Amino acid sequence: MTNSPQHQPQDDPMRSVHTTNFPQILTQLGISLVVSTYQAGKLIVLRADGEHINTHFRVFQKPMGLAADRGRIAIGTANQVCELRNVPAVAQKLDPIGKHDACYLPRNSHITGDIDIHEMAWADQELWFINTRFSCLCTLDFDHSFVPRWRPDFISALSPEDRCHLNGLGMVNNYPKYVTALGTTDSRGGWRENKAFGGVLMDVETNQVIVQGLSMPHSPRWYQNRLWVLESGNGSLATVDLASGKCETVTQLPGFTRGIDFWGSLAFIGLSQVRETAVFSGIPLTQRLEERICGVWVVNIETGQTVAFLQFEEAVQEIFAVQVLPGIRFPEIIDWDEKLIATSYVLPDAALADVPDGQKQLVTEMSTSQPQVESDLTRFSNSPFPKKSGKPKRKKHGFGINQQH
């Protein structure tokens, strides 16, 4: 790892520093990252721009949970789920021309009410998410605020009382399999009484507690035939032995670990400073570190070594979710641009046949499957970076209108 940080301009309140190899890693892997920070009210895109990381900010109201791939992004906000779709034809129209390889435009907004949405994940076309306020795992339909699909068996009622602080969601074989919670309590905010060591990791299918005694766990993930979890109260990344129910720490980091995604032998992990409040007081991390850091850390999962990092210096203090955008190097995310939205369309193939050729820029919409990536990253990691693959999805098409006056 290089220790020569690159700085953003000093007058930028969102400024950050990063190791010089971070943009090289993103470039050689052919990826970018999207990060949510509810504390700053921003969605952040980390994208390589030459020798620097371009931190691109978009405003959303309390963005937390994220589900993202090449074709779509879902964002859980203060009282709704926002869905955006990638329309490459629009990316071709953005300035500077030829710079962007993806453009995510707003497509749907589903009003959920204030349910404190935490982690989210796609299962084909169905979006699953943690409804923390009601202590349940949910999906959406057109008629209801949310559709409860599962809750821990120790939760006796569907009530907006945040009884166990259900928070993390891990998928296996395209279906919810693992969740984390900060307690097994069944009373309003009951998890707060033993937040330092009351955390659990559960199996959704069996309703069994696999691991208990965790310190504020988040982000369970099944990856490379291993179960990973962030024990946030320890500032650590750990693996879980399913047979014994024991956690083995892979690495400890200088912040509250929350939000993770993987690519090859790398884990991209969100770190938060965590403020000195009643919620975070008394956890091992605040006793271990007087100063905590906010940023995105890159860790070799085979060695536990930090490979690179980006650290936010001022306005951003807490990270919630981190997601890899595979095969996308320099995306744009549109929160609300009236002109661009008014002249950008996605239509079925049959309808596109009736659009005059002179009025459309026909481009195949990004598939949600993962690309095949080959990179030589021996200078960043001691282990190879395997390809990622996925099932191809049905394609749509998009175009932008060429306005004629």
Side-chain angles (χ1 to χ4, degrees), residues 51-126:
E51 297 181 353
H52 300 273
I53 295 288
N54 176 269
T55 51
H56 186 54
F57 295 83
R58 287 303 186 198
V59 176
F60 288 87
Q61 186 180 10
K62 193 185 175 185
M64 293 182 67
L66 288 177
D69 56 36
R70 298 183 73 207
R72 57 196 175 179
I73 297 176
I75 310 164
T77 68
N79 53 30
Q80 60 187 302
V81 173
C82 302
E83 295 187 26
L84 301 90
R85 293 283 171 157
N86 181 16
V87 186
V90 176
Q92 297 177 10
K93 302 193 301 183
L94 300 175
D95 291 327
I97 300 299
K99 182 79 168 181
H100 300 82
D101 58 355
C103 182
Y104 292 88
L105 292 175
R107 177 63 64 226
N108 298 305
S109 179
H110 185 103
I111 305 301
T112 60
D114 181 5
I115 60 174
D116 199 16
I117 297 173
H118 275 56
E119 289 197 331
M120 317 172 74
W122 293 101
D124 289 329
Q125 300 305 310
E126 191 169 42

